[in-house]
Amino acid sequence: MNIDFAVNFIKYYGAAMVANAMPVLIKNGTPMDRGLIWIDNKRLLGNGKTWEGFTIGVIGSYLASMAISIFFDDHILFFKLWLASIAGLLGDIIESFFKRRLGIKRGEPLPVFDQLDFAIAATIIYHLMGELNIFKDSWFIILSFTLIIALHLVTNSIAYILRLKDKPW
Ligand code: CTP
Ligand code: MG
């Protein structure tokens, strides 16, 4: 792997990946939608989006953004990474909203979007902040998204084999 790519991948997606992995530790938290049913008779978000999960994600992203910005010796980077990571957590929530509208039950897969929800949201924020440009940096972004999907497949398979997860996706 190209060293520049590896460094930039960790710089831009490291904290967001940590933030996104943290909520998995919460099994039965308080649903953000409080059980609310949307006009289509389906849950607004479902039981997979909890306040506890969101909170632990915000805390995790704070620590990861701190660590990465210290490593790159860049104070401003901390705020950018934390903001992008929180956007990532919100992206995951928005994805659940659309999954429910499509009639996909909580925990059932929506391939590619399940893996990239947070990364897409973080990338939009980087673009708006002028940190990444979705046109000029398209190769970096495509390569990063591909790596994120691959990492998901590997970690989820391991978690399934170790019986930490009951579904292999
Ligand atoms: N989680 C949480 N709160 C959040 C996000 C995630 O508690 N805000 C936890 C839930 O236990 C969830 C797990 O992290 O089951 C994995 O998240 P995700 O894969 O996004 O949820 P799914 O269970 O697949 O639900 P959905 O179909 O809504 O994506
Ligand atoms: Mg999701």
Side-chain angles (χ1 to χ4, degrees):
M1 197 188 298
N2 181 300
I3 189 77
D4 277 348
F5 170 75
V7 168
N8 281 319
F9 178 72
I10 292 168
K11 179 175 173 182
Y12 288 114
Y13 294 105
M17 284 197 294
V18 170
N20 207 253
M22 297 302 289
V24 184
L25 299 171
I26 306 293
K27 278 286 156 268
N28 290 301
T30 316
M32 298 179 103
D33 67 2
R34 299 161 189 251
L36 193 87
I37 307 286
W38 186 249
I39 44 170
D40 53 6
N41 276 328
K42 295 180 180 100
R43 283 287 292 274
L44 181 69
L45 300 172
N47 288 339
K49 299 296 107 115
T50 70
W51 285 112
E52 291 83 348
F54 182 70
T55 306
I56 198 175
V58 171
I59 295 169
S61 64
Y62 177 88
L63 297 174
S65 302
M66 189 66 93
I68 293 171
S69 58
I70 289 172
F71 179 80
F72 284 96
D73 199 12
D74 183 342
H75 304 304
I76 307 297
L77 185 66
F78 163 75
F79 295 101
K80 293 173 179 171
L81 296 184
W82 200 25
L83 199 67
S85 305
I86 291 171
L89 293 167
L90 297 176
D92 177 44
I93 295 168
I94 293 167
E95 193 228 357
S96 290
F97 173 81
F98 285 111
K99 281 175 80 174
R100 297 303 88 82
R101 304 290 75 73
L102 291 169
I104 302 169
K105 293 211 169 61
R106 177 251 168 120
E108 291 301 314
L110 178 60
V112 182
F113 290 100
D114 276 334
Q115 289 79 40
L116 292 183
D117 47 17
F118 78 94
I120 292 170
T123 304
I124 292 170
I125 292 298
Y126 286 135
H127 182 83
L128 294 176
M129 290 191 294
E131 197 65 25
L132 286 178
N133 184 297
I134 53 174
F135 305 108
K136 287 193 197 133
D137 300 313
S138 54
W139 273 114
F140 170 69
I141 293 166
I142 290 168
L143 220 56
S144 296
F145 283 11
T146 309
L147 184 57
I148 288 168
I149 292 174
L151 288 171
H152 258 273
L153 292 175
V154 172
T155 52
N156 284 354
S157 304
I158 292 171
Y160 177 70
I161 291 164
L162 294 176
R163 301 198 183 284
L164 294 172
K165 280 188 102 241
D166 51 6
K167 295 198 174 100
W169 56 74

